[in-house]
Amino acid sequence: MTEFLAMGGYAAYVWPSFGLTFIVMVTIQLSTFSRRRKAIAAVRRQHAVNTQKNQQAGTGESV
Amino acid sequence: MFQWFHRLAASKNFYRLAEILGPLFGVLGAILLTLGVYRGLFVAPTDYEQGESYRIIYVHVPSAWMSMFVYMVMAFCSALFLIWKMKLADIIAEVSAPMGAAFTFLALATGSLWGKPMWGTWWEWDARLTSELILLFLYIGYMALRASIDNRGSAARAAAILALVGVVNIPIIHYSVEWWNTLHQPASITKFDTPSIHISMLVPLLMMALGFTFFYFTNMLSRARSVILEREANNNWVKDRFRENRL
């Protein structure tokens, strides 16, 4: 195990490479998730605005 | 063919396709990346010249490939947008840019981490490294340009033109190792007749490359869906989906 972690003396280059790649890819994925949450919130907001408008107009369109 | 293309370009149909393909690509990508990292770190043999340091290849080369692949997607979509005014193409280009920039950054950073022990330097102003750095600036310029123009249509057109002009950099990156004397080693995979890499080292590399590709597509599709939802929040199909709780 220690030998594996030592990477034949190149640990200082191999592990940062893999670690950085991991961090960047996790960041991309998390930002995709938060982008989606934001979009769904926007739709919900729009829906609330529409419902309110409809009620004010007295169209009676139930949603 | 064109009709099919046209139907797909309708955001409603794209959304339906993307919500199936996105998660599927995500699962495939996760499996390939897990297998690729495992085989790359534990199964692939030590390189007789570079020792264990060569294992950086499993993150460096897929990042570098993706940096160019994502740019090609962006440029292709920009052309579709400029010629046929396909809004969907513009959305795909827009959401791809930050990921392309991230892959380019990874290619440069992991390249630097590989260059130090092998060439004795973190950075060299040679053709391959410089053209890859220009690619990073192209991505950043693309995003900055989009952000700096308020009118969405004008921003999209300006960015699309920039993406198409910048595409000239892609063959320069690819052939830089042949056209100029450079520190960077020539391609070891793309010469298919005699790949200069052993099969036990090649398999994990291909897994990683495919895994990166699926990873990009699953994220690109999800982000494109988010943009569509926001832009079309007032359209009936979005309202219907919202009521049925299946956004």
Side-chain angles (χ1 to χ4, degrees):
Chain A
M1 190 66 193
T2 332
E3 198 192 350
F4 171 73
L5 287 177
M7 275 290 147
Y10 294 112
Y13 307 102
V14 174
W15 296 123
S17 296
F18 277 79
L20 194 63
T21 305
F22 181 76
I23 290 168
V24 168
M25 288 176 92
V26 166
T27 308
I28 289 177
Q29 189 64 62
L30 290 180
S31 131
T32 296
F33 287 149
S34 85
R35 186 83 184 73
R36 180 160 167 77
R37 274 197 303 278
K38 207 182 112 204
I40 288 173
V43 173
R44 186 171 293 123
R45 216 163 33 241
Q46 187 63 48
H47 180 79
V49 169
N50 289 345
T51 310
Q52 205 177 19
K53 264 191 205 154
N54 286 339
Q55 279 167 353
Q56 279 170 354
T59 55
E61 192 198 32
S62 59
V63 260
Chain B
M1 168 68 192
F2 194 77
Q3 257 198 339
W4 172 84
F5 207 62
H6 210 71
R7 267 205 301 275
L8 177 67
S11 42
K12 181 183 164 183
N13 297 329
F14 171 82
Y15 196 92
R16 194 161 49 200
L17 186 67
E19 81 184 328
I20 299 165
L21 289 184
L24 179 69
F25 289 170
V27 170
L28 287 173
I31 294 171
L32 282 165
L33 289 174
T34 311
L35 281 175
V37 167
Y38 171 73
R39 297 191 61 112
L41 285 178
F42 296 93
V43 181
T46 305
D47 186 75
Y48 77 99
E49 261 181 350
Q50 304 201 352
E52 306 292 348
S53 77
Y54 94 93
R55 293 184 198 280
I56 294 173
I57 199 174
Y58 297 117
V59 287
H60 174 69
V61 166
S63 302
W65 278 348
M66 290 314 292
S67 71
M68 292 189 277
F69 177 74
V70 173
Y71 198 89
M72 291 307 289
V73 171
M74 229 171 74
F76 177 71
C77 285
S78 299
L80 287 182
F81 173 71
L82 286 177
I83 299 167
W84 287 298
K85 301 198 186 327
M86 269 181 70
K87 287 200 178 107
L88 175 62
D90 174 54
I91 292 174
I92 292 175
E94 181 189 1
V95 300
S96 292
M99 287 188 276
F103 287 128
T104 311
F105 163 74
L106 274 182
L108 288 166
T110 57
S112 196
L113 282 162
W114 199 359
K116 183 64 186 165
M118 290 301 111
W119 305 335
T121 177
W122 298 104
W123 183 261
E124 189 66 45
W125 289 103
D126 87 336
R128 172 55 71 84
L129 280 62
T130 308
S131 53
E132 184 75 10
L133 183 65
I134 290 171
L135 183 66
L136 181 63
F137 293 154
L138 277 171
Y139 278 119
I140 294 172
Y142 178 93
M143 292 187 283
L145 186 60
R146 278 201 92 106
S148 67
I149 304 176
D150 283 334
N151 179 280
R152 189 198 285 161
S154 319
R157 263 191 307 280
I161 292 167
L162 174 65
L164 281 176
V165 172
V167 85
V168 71
N169 189 39
I170 297 293
I172 295 180
I173 297 174
H174 185 78
Y175 291 108
S176 55
V177 284
E178 291 170 25
W179 293 344
W180 290 282
N181 275 324
T182 155
L183 272 179
H184 199 282
Q185 59 181 318
S188 28
I189 321 297
T190 45
K191 35 178 188 175
F192 273 109
D193 41 348
T194 46
S196 55
I197 176 169
H198 190 264
I199 189 79
S200 58
M201 293 177 173
L202 180 61
V203 167
L205 183 56
L206 295 180
M207 285 175 161
M208 291 302 280
L210 207 57
F212 269 60
T213 311
F214 279 124
F215 174 82
Y216 158 65
F217 274 110
T218 189
N219 279 279
M220 181 271 275
L221 290 173
S222 172
R223 288 172 187 210
R225 284 172 66 199
S226 300
V227 175
I228 289 171
L229 278 186
E230 284 175 3
R231 290 196 190 177
E232 309 207 352
N234 252 330
N235 285 19
N236 279 330
W237 71 270
V238 177
K239 289 183 186 169
D240 289 344
R241 276 177 173 268
F242 179 77
R243 278 188 216 107
E244 292 157 19
N245 201 17
R246 44 185 202 89
L247 285 178

